[in-house]
Amino acid sequence: MAPSSSPRTVVITVPALILSVAGAVIFLFFLMSSLSYSPPSCSCPPRSTVQTSRQQQQQQISATAKDIQWVKTQIEVNGLHMQDNVLRKGINPRTRAQQLQDLIQYKGISHYEKEEEAKNHTSLPCPGELLVEEHHSNYGEPWAGGRDVFEFLAESSQISPESRVLEIGCGTLRVGLHFIQYLNPEHFHCLERDELSLMAAFRYELPAHGLLQKRPLIVKGEDMDFERFGSGFDYDLIYASAVFLHMPDKLVWVGLERLVGRLKPLDGRIFVSHNVKFCSRLGGDECSKRLKSLGLEYMGKHTHDSLLFNHYEIWFEFRRFKV
């Protein structure tokens, strides 16, 4: 029988032990370095700068030079030329007056076969005068000028969709439509005295442009009473387009006195178009003194050119300097 073998003994020398410990230390060093590693600094702009740039892009309102050049290129590519308007087949030659006569005679555009069917089945009946857009000719200049005014005021006052805007005399929403579309719901307010204009706004313009859900607050009134607009907020922009021209100076000053407390201090703006005779007629330095007593400061005169037709408007800017 073979003798049993004795158990083997593992002998670790001191140098080997030192090498093992050193290896473990090196491994732990590289492990900790990788965990604490931070990427090299980036030459990219700070995040806040990027966000600001994106906000500026989102808030672009007026057409840029590139936009205008694109339109011109499309006209050229399609071989379009300015020419006299000539009625051709496929274009309805009826004037607004003729269209209105059809609406009155047939009680609608479609010709119903039976008299009992010739009833208005629409959910929001609209007067024929509005359907043929006669109210678009009530301003003495193209309806498209409303976009020009919006672009100038929105960019000059640096508003955003969260801003609150009040128009004194919004009429049939030639300008207001663009503000309503741009602003958050319920952030556009207007005081208007003319009933036909209000009818055009509620019964035609808002539904036709899909803006009923924006819930603008449009109030009938002519005494510069703004109580119905509520409280607890400041307006970023208050403007009057050719409205103060038709109001007694005394009533204009009453309106300014009531509005100054509703205007956001320093950043808020009041814009008045055409002229400020309610102010200049006081003579001398009286206007500046009266404005100062209200807490208002005159900021300057602006001239704004139209994008579509040969026309420009003059606007006068004010701000509230008291907090």
Side-chain angles (χ1 to χ4, degrees):
M1 180 181 217
S4 59
S5 59
S6 60
R8 297 182 178 180
T9 302
V10 179
V11 179
I12 301 177
T13 61
V14 173
L17 181 59
I18 294 175
L19 288 175
S20 298
V21 173
V25 171
I26 293 173
F27 173 78
L28 289 174
F29 173 80
F30 281 107
L31 179 61
M32 295 300 294
S33 298
S34 63
L35 292 176
S36 61
Y37 169 78
S38 59
S41 60
C42 176
S43 60
C44 304
R47 185 176 180 181
S48 59
T49 304
V50 175
Q51 290 177 341
T52 301
S53 177
R54 288 176 180 173
Q55 291 175 354
Q56 291 174 346
Q57 291 176 359
Q58 292 173 352
Q59 294 176 6
Q60 178 66 37
I61 294 174
S62 60
T64 65
K66 290 184 178 180
D67 294 332
I68 296 174
Q69 185 56 49
W70 176 83
V71 173
K72 291 181 177 179
T73 301
Q74 297 307 304
I75 293 173
E76 181 180 354
V77 168
N78 285 284
L80 306 178
H81 304 282
M82 292 291 291
Q83 57 186 354
D84 295 334
N85 293 326
V86 179
L87 295 178
R88 299 177 301 279
K89 184 178 180 180
I91 296 182
N92 193 331
R94 292 182 301 164
T95 64
R96 282 179 175 170
Q98 291 170 329
Q99 293 179 53
L100 179 57
Q101 181 58 36
D102 283 350
L103 289 170
I104 295 173
Q105 181 177 353
Y106 300 108
K107 299 181 176 61
I109 298 298
S110 297
H111 299 178
Y112 294 97
E113 295 180 359
K114 299 179 181 180
E115 183 65 25
E116 61 269 18
E117 295 176 347
K119 297 180 181 179
N120 198 324
H121 300 288
T122 61
S123 58
L124 191 64
C126 188
E129 292 83 354
L130 301 182
L131 288 175
V132 299
E133 299 179 351
E134 284 189 348
H135 60 286
H136 284 189
S137 303
N138 293 344
Y139 293 92
E141 62 185 51
W143 177 262
R147 177 71 193 186
D148 295 319
V149 175
F150 162 71
E151 290 182 359
F152 165 73
L153 293 175
E155 292 184 333
S156 297
S157 56
Q158 299 181 344
I159 65 168
S160 66
E162 293 76 25
S163 301
R164 291 183 179 271
V165 175
L166 168 66
E167 179 175 3
I168 304 173
C170 58
T172 57
L173 298 180
R174 187 175 71 115
V175 179
L177 279 175
H178 303 285
F179 276 106
I180 295 169
Q181 187 172 32
Y182 178 75
L183 297 172
N184 288 344
E186 302 180 5
H187 279 214
F188 178 82
H189 294 176
C190 166
L191 182 68
E192 172 59 48
R193 69 175 184 174
D194 184 63
E195 187 169 338
L196 179 60
S197 296
L198 291 169
M199 184 68 75
F202 286 119
R203 302 289 283 272
Y204 184 82
E205 295 299 337
L206 290 176
H209 291 84
L211 295 175
L212 291 175
Q213 80 280 3
K214 284 301 189 80
R215 302 293 193 273
L217 180 55
I218 303 174
V219 174
K220 182 182 179 183
E222 55 182 334
D223 52 1
M224 300 294 270
D225 182 6
F226 304 99
E227 291 298 324
R228 291 174 60 187
F229 293 104
S231 59
F233 60 88
D234 294 325
Y235 288 110
D236 298 271
L237 169 64
I238 299 172
Y239 69 96
S241 179
V243 173
F244 288 172
L245 306 178
H246 312 293
M247 297 173 58
D249 291 355
K250 183 178 180 180
L251 184 57
V252 175
W253 283 106
V254 168
L256 291 176
E257 184 176 359
R258 292 173 177 174
L259 286 172
V260 67
R262 294 171 171 264
L263 182 66
K264 183 174 292 185
L266 302 179
D267 294 330
R269 290 292 185 270
I270 293 178
F271 277 92
V272 179
S273 74
H274 291 67
N275 64 58
V276 285
K277 289 185 177 180
F278 66 89
C279 197
S280 59
R281 275 192 283 252
L282 294 176
D285 297 329
E286 289 303 312
C287 180
S288 298
K289 293 179 181 178
R290 190 159 184 178
L291 287 172
K292 186 176 181 180
S293 68
L294 294 179
L296 289 175
E297 177 184 11
Y298 175 60
M299 300 297 292
K301 175 181 174 182
H302 305 268
T303 300
H304 175 63
D305 295 303
S306 170
L307 176 67
L308 297 178
F309 58 106
N310 295 331
H311 175 75
Y312 71 90
E313 285 190 332
I314 297 173
W315 289 87
F316 299 86
E317 178 184 0
F318 304 84
R319 76 167 180 172
R320 175 185 174 189
F321 64 84
K322 291 183 179 180
V323 179

